[in-house]
PDB file of all heavy atoms in Angstrom:
ATOM      1  N   LEU A1117     123.324 211.847 180.561  1.00  0.00           N
ATOM      2  CA  LEU A1117     122.537 212.642 181.499  1.00  0.00           C
ATOM      3  C   LEU A1117     122.376 211.713 182.709  1.00  0.00           C
ATOM      4  O   LEU A1117     121.758 210.660 182.594  1.00  0.00           O
ATOM      5  CB  LEU A1117     121.208 213.032 180.904  1.00  0.00           C
ATOM      6  CG  LEU A1117     121.261 213.650 179.530  1.00  0.00           C
ATOM      7  CD1 LEU A1117     119.864 213.729 178.900  1.00  0.00           C
ATOM      8  CD2 LEU A1117     121.926 215.035 179.604  1.00  0.00           C
ATOM      9  N   TYR A1118     122.963 212.072 183.822  1.00  0.00           N
ATOM     10  CA  TYR A1118     122.977 211.164 184.986  1.00  0.00           C
ATOM     11  C   TYR A1118     121.914 211.626 186.012  1.00  0.00           C
ATOM     12  O   TYR A1118     121.878 212.759 186.413  1.00  0.00           O
ATOM     13  CB  TYR A1118     124.337 211.195 185.678  1.00  0.00           C
ATOM     14  CG  TYR A1118     124.422 210.347 186.895  1.00  0.00           C
ATOM     15  CD1 TYR A1118     124.685 208.964 186.815  1.00  0.00           C
ATOM     16  CD2 TYR A1118     124.209 210.854 188.195  1.00  0.00           C
ATOM     17  CE1 TYR A1118     124.741 208.184 187.948  1.00  0.00           C
ATOM     18  CE2 TYR A1118     124.259 210.090 189.313  1.00  0.00           C
ATOM     19  CZ  TYR A1118     124.533 208.705 189.179  1.00  0.00           C
ATOM     20  OH  TYR A1118     124.585 207.946 190.324  1.00  0.00           O
ATOM     21  N   LEU A1119     121.011 210.662 186.373  1.00  0.00           N
ATOM     22  CA  LEU A1119     119.845 210.977 187.222  1.00  0.00           C
ATOM     23  C   LEU A1119     119.929 210.120 188.458  1.00  0.00           C
ATOM     24  O   LEU A1119     120.122 208.934 188.390  1.00  0.00           O
ATOM     25  CB  LEU A1119     118.589 210.656 186.414  1.00  0.00           C
ATOM     26  CG  LEU A1119     117.246 210.885 187.072  1.00  0.00           C
ATOM     27  CD1 LEU A1119     116.997 212.361 187.372  1.00  0.00           C
ATOM     28  CD2 LEU A1119     116.155 210.358 186.177  1.00  0.00           C
ATOM     29  N   SER A1120     119.756 210.717 189.642  1.00  0.00           N
ATOM     30  CA  SER A1120     119.710 209.958 190.846  1.00  0.00           C
ATOM     31  C   SER A1120     118.770 210.610 191.870  1.00  0.00           C
ATOM     32  O   SER A1120     118.152 211.615 191.545  1.00  0.00           O
ATOM     33  CB  SER A1120     121.077 209.709 191.449  1.00  0.00           C
ATOM     34  OG  SER A1120     121.023 208.705 192.463  1.00  0.00           O
ATOM     35  N   THR A1121     118.658 210.026 193.011  1.00  0.00           N
ATOM     36  CA  THR A1121     117.633 210.471 193.980  1.00  0.00           C
ATOM     37  C   THR A1121     118.001 210.027 195.388  1.00  0.00           C
ATOM     38  O   THR A1121     118.758 209.072 195.575  1.00  0.00           O
ATOM     39  CB  THR A1121     116.268 209.850 193.628  1.00  0.00           C
ATOM     40  OG1 THR A1121     115.302 210.197 194.598  1.00  0.00           O
ATOM     41  CG2 THR A1121     116.320 208.260 193.569  1.00  0.00           C
ATOM     42  N   PHE A1122     117.453 210.720 196.381  1.00  0.00           N
ATOM     43  CA  PHE A1122     117.590 210.287 197.758  1.00  0.00           C
ATOM     44  C   PHE A1122     116.383 209.448 198.215  1.00  0.00           C
ATOM     45  O   PHE A1122     116.305 209.095 199.384  1.00  0.00           O
ATOM     46  CB  PHE A1122     117.832 211.476 198.658  1.00  0.00           C
ATOM     47  CG  PHE A1122     119.192 212.081 198.461  1.00  0.00           C
ATOM     48  CD1 PHE A1122     119.408 213.114 197.542  1.00  0.00           C
ATOM     49  CD2 PHE A1122     120.279 211.593 199.181  1.00  0.00           C
ATOM     50  CE1 PHE A1122     120.680 213.631 197.307  1.00  0.00           C
ATOM     51  CE2 PHE A1122     121.590 212.128 198.945  1.00  0.00           C
ATOM     52  CZ  PHE A1122     121.733 213.096 197.998  1.00  0.00           C
ATOM     53  N   SER A1123     115.439 209.227 197.306  1.00  0.00           N
ATOM     54  CA  SER A1123     114.193 208.553 197.699  1.00  0.00           C
ATOM     55  C   SER A1123     114.469 207.096 198.062  1.00  0.00           C
ATOM     56  O   SER A1123     113.742 206.558 198.892  1.00  0.00           O
ATOM     57  CB  SER A1123     113.204 208.579 196.551  1.00  0.00           C
ATOM     58  OG  SER A1123     112.766 209.935 196.351  1.00  0.00           O
ATOM     59  N   LYS A1124     115.420 206.451 197.457  1.00  0.00           N
ATOM     60  CA  LYS A1124     115.653 204.997 197.716  1.00  0.00           C
ATOM     61  C   LYS A1124     116.652 204.781 198.805  1.00  0.00           C
ATOM     62  O   LYS A1124     116.630 203.746 199.455  1.00  0.00           O
ATOM     63  CB  LYS A1124     116.145 204.339 196.416  1.00  0.00           C
ATOM     64  CG  LYS A1124     115.288 204.582 195.209  1.00  0.00           C
ATOM     65  CD  LYS A1124     113.852 204.035 195.316  1.00  0.00           C
ATOM     66  CE  LYS A1124     113.116 204.323 194.036  1.00  0.00           C
ATOM     67  NZ  LYS A1124     111.759 203.791 194.025  1.00  0.00           N
ATOM     68  N   ILE A1125     117.598 205.722 198.992  1.00  0.00           N
ATOM     69  CA  ILE A1125     118.633 205.501 200.008  1.00  0.00           C
ATOM     70  C   ILE A1125     118.378 206.238 201.303  1.00  0.00           C
ATOM     71  O   ILE A1125     119.017 205.955 202.296  1.00  0.00           O
ATOM     72  CB  ILE A1125     120.042 205.915 199.473  1.00  0.00           C
ATOM     73  CG1 ILE A1125     120.044 207.423 199.052  1.00  0.00           C
ATOM     74  CG2 ILE A1125     120.466 205.034 198.300  1.00  0.00           C
ATOM     75  CD1 ILE A1125     121.425 207.929 198.708  1.00  0.00           C
ATOM     76  N   LEU A1126     117.390 207.181 201.297  1.00  0.00           N
ATOM     77  CA  LEU A1126     117.129 207.919 202.535  1.00  0.00           C
ATOM     78  C   LEU A1126     115.639 207.883 202.798  1.00  0.00           C
ATOM     79  O   LEU A1126     115.099 206.945 203.394  1.00  0.00           O
ATOM     80  CB  LEU A1126     117.724 209.344 202.466  1.00  0.00           C
ATOM     81  CG  LEU A1126     117.643 210.212 203.712  1.00  0.00           C
ATOM     82  CD1 LEU A1126     118.191 209.547 204.922  1.00  0.00           C
ATOM     83  CD2 LEU A1126     118.291 211.564 203.472  1.00  0.00           C
ATOM     84  N   VAL A1127     114.889 208.923 202.323  1.00  0.00           N
ATOM     85  CA  VAL A1127     113.437 208.910 202.405  1.00  0.00           C
ATOM     86  C   VAL A1127     112.884 209.507 201.148  1.00  0.00           C
ATOM     87  O   VAL A1127     113.470 210.404 200.531  1.00  0.00           O
ATOM     88  CB  VAL A1127     112.936 209.757 203.602  1.00  0.00           C
ATOM     89  CG1 VAL A1127     113.415 209.174 204.929  1.00  0.00           C
ATOM     90  CG2 VAL A1127     113.372 211.240 203.476  1.00  0.00           C
ATOM     91  N   PRO A1128     111.714 209.011 200.679  1.00  0.00           N
ATOM     92  CA  PRO A1128     111.063 209.604 199.453  1.00  0.00           C
ATOM     93  C   PRO A1128     110.382 210.901 199.737  1.00  0.00           C
ATOM     94  O   PRO A1128     110.228 211.700 198.859  1.00  0.00           O
ATOM     95  CB  PRO A1128     110.073 208.523 199.011  1.00  0.00           C
ATOM     96  CG  PRO A1128     110.288 207.342 199.895  1.00  0.00           C
ATOM     97  CD  PRO A1128     110.991 207.802 201.157  1.00  0.00           C
ATOM     98  N   GLY A1129     109.948 211.097 201.023  1.00  0.00           N
ATOM     99  CA  GLY A1129     109.034 212.193 201.355  1.00  0.00           C
ATOM    100  C   GLY A1129     109.610 213.592 201.177  1.00  0.00           C
ATOM    101  O   GLY A1129     108.903 214.560 200.978  1.00  0.00           O
ATOM    102  N   PHE A1130     110.956 213.733 201.223  1.00  0.00           N
ATOM    103  CA  PHE A1130     111.511 215.052 201.033  1.00  0.00           C
ATOM    104  C   PHE A1130     111.517 215.458 199.544  1.00  0.00           C
ATOM    105  O   PHE A1130     111.733 216.602 199.224  1.00  0.00           O
ATOM    106  CB  PHE A1130     112.957 215.117 201.570  1.00  0.00           C
ATOM    107  CG  PHE A1130     113.060 215.407 203.029  1.00  0.00           C
ATOM    108  CD1 PHE A1130     113.989 214.682 203.816  1.00  0.00           C
ATOM    109  CD2 PHE A1130     112.284 216.341 203.636  1.00  0.00           C
ATOM    110  CE1 PHE A1130     114.093 214.903 205.155  1.00  0.00           C
ATOM    111  CE2 PHE A1130     112.414 216.578 205.007  1.00  0.00           C
ATOM    112  CZ  PHE A1130     113.323 215.858 205.748  1.00  0.00           C
ATOM    113  N   ARG A1131     111.300 214.484 198.681  1.00  0.00           N
ATOM    114  CA  ARG A1131     111.292 214.748 197.234  1.00  0.00           C
ATOM    115  C   ARG A1131     112.604 215.413 196.785  1.00  0.00           C
ATOM    116  O   ARG A1131     112.584 216.554 196.225  1.00  0.00           O
ATOM    117  CB  ARG A1131     110.062 215.625 196.762  1.00  0.00           C
ATOM    118  CG  ARG A1131     108.737 215.245 197.308  1.00  0.00           C
ATOM    119  CD  ARG A1131     108.321 213.852 197.042  1.00  0.00           C
ATOM    120  NE  ARG A1131     108.202 213.490 195.619  1.00  0.00           N
ATOM    121  CZ  ARG A1131     108.810 212.421 195.113  1.00  0.00           C
ATOM    122  NH1 ARG A1131     109.564 211.625 195.827  1.00  0.00           N
ATOM    123  NH2 ARG A1131     108.656 212.129 193.841  1.00  0.00           N
ATOM    124  N   VAL A1132     113.748 214.775 197.030  1.00  0.00           N
ATOM    125  CA  VAL A1132     114.983 215.322 196.549  1.00  0.00           C
ATOM    126  C   VAL A1132     115.612 214.342 195.560  1.00  0.00           C
ATOM    127  O   VAL A1132     116.147 213.282 195.918  1.00  0.00           O
ATOM    128  CB  VAL A1132     115.981 215.628 197.692  1.00  0.00           C
ATOM    129  CG1 VAL A1132     117.253 216.231 197.130  1.00  0.00           C
ATOM    130  CG2 VAL A1132     115.333 216.591 198.705  1.00  0.00           C
ATOM    131  N   GLY A1133     115.530 214.708 194.304  1.00  0.00           N
ATOM    132  CA  GLY A1133     116.228 214.011 193.210  1.00  0.00           C
ATOM    133  C   GLY A1133     117.196 214.977 192.587  1.00  0.00           C
ATOM    134  O   GLY A1133     117.193 216.189 192.882  1.00  0.00           O
ATOM    135  N   TRP A1134     118.117 214.479 191.741  1.00  0.00           N
ATOM    136  CA  TRP A1134     119.076 215.357 191.096  1.00  0.00           C
ATOM    137  C   TRP A1134     119.580 214.793 189.813  1.00  0.00           C
ATOM    138  O   TRP A1134     119.472 213.555 189.589  1.00  0.00           O
ATOM    139  CB  TRP A1134     120.219 215.665 192.036  1.00  0.00           C
ATOM    140  CG  TRP A1134     121.018 214.467 192.517  1.00  0.00           C
ATOM    141  CD1 TRP A1134     120.599 213.540 193.428  1.00  0.00           C
ATOM    142  CD2 TRP A1134     122.347 214.061 192.128  1.00  0.00           C
ATOM    143  NE1 TRP A1134     121.545 212.551 193.619  1.00  0.00           N
ATOM    144  CE2 TRP A1134     122.606 212.896 192.823  1.00  0.00           C
ATOM    145  CE3 TRP A1134     123.298 214.586 191.254  1.00  0.00           C
ATOM    146  CZ2 TRP A1134     123.856 212.254 192.689  1.00  0.00           C
ATOM    147  CZ3 TRP A1134     124.508 213.961 191.113  1.00  0.00           C
ATOM    148  CH2 TRP A1134     124.774 212.752 191.826  1.00  0.00           C
ATOM    149  N   LEU A1135     120.188 215.579 188.987  1.00  0.00           N
ATOM    150  CA  LEU A1135     120.795 215.090 187.723  1.00  0.00           C
ATOM    151  C   LEU A1135     122.016 215.934 187.429  1.00  0.00           C
ATOM    152  O   LEU A1135     122.173 217.077 187.958  1.00  0.00           O
ATOM    153  CB  LEU A1135     119.822 215.104 186.586  1.00  0.00           C
ATOM    154  CG  LEU A1135     119.148 216.347 186.113  1.00  0.00           C
ATOM    155  CD1 LEU A1135     120.088 217.235 185.261  1.00  0.00           C
ATOM    156  CD2 LEU A1135     117.939 216.018 185.220  1.00  0.00           C
ATOM    157  N   THR A1136     122.911 215.390 186.608  1.00  0.00           N
ATOM    158  CA  THR A1136     123.959 216.210 186.006  1.00  0.00           C
ATOM    159  C   THR A1136     123.762 216.132 184.494  1.00  0.00           C
ATOM    160  O   THR A1136     123.321 215.144 183.971  1.00  0.00           O
ATOM    161  CB  THR A1136     125.374 215.690 186.316  1.00  0.00           C
ATOM    162  OG1 THR A1136     125.579 214.417 185.679  1.00  0.00           O
ATOM    163  CG2 THR A1136     125.607 215.517 187.811  1.00  0.00           C
ATOM    164  N   ALA A1137     124.083 217.250 183.856  1.00  0.00           N
ATOM    165  CA  ALA A1137     123.910 217.335 182.411  1.00  0.00           C
ATOM    166  C   ALA A1137     124.801 218.441 181.862  1.00  0.00           C
ATOM    167  O   ALA A1137     125.206 219.352 182.604  1.00  0.00           O
ATOM    168  CB  ALA A1137     122.448 217.651 182.038  1.00  0.00           C
ATOM    169  N   PRO A1138     125.099 218.381 180.567  1.00  0.00           N
ATOM    170  CA  PRO A1138     125.868 219.476 179.920  1.00  0.00           C
ATOM    171  C   PRO A1138     125.082 220.753 180.028  1.00  0.00           C
ATOM    172  O   PRO A1138     123.851 220.789 180.076  1.00  0.00           O
ATOM    173  CB  PRO A1138     126.038 219.015 178.486  1.00  0.00           C
ATOM    174  CG  PRO A1138     125.772 217.553 178.511  1.00  0.00           C
ATOM    175  CD  PRO A1138     124.799 217.311 179.613  1.00  0.00           C
TER     176      PRO A1138
END
Side-chain angles (χ1 to χ4, degrees):
Chain A
L1117 310 169
Y1118 178 84
L1119 179 66
S1120 193
T1121 176
F1122 290 91
S1123 293
K1124 310 295 182 177
I1125 58 172
L1126 184 54
V1127 297
F1130 277 136
R1131 313 305 299 126
V1132 182
W1134 59 288
L1135 59 77
T1136 67

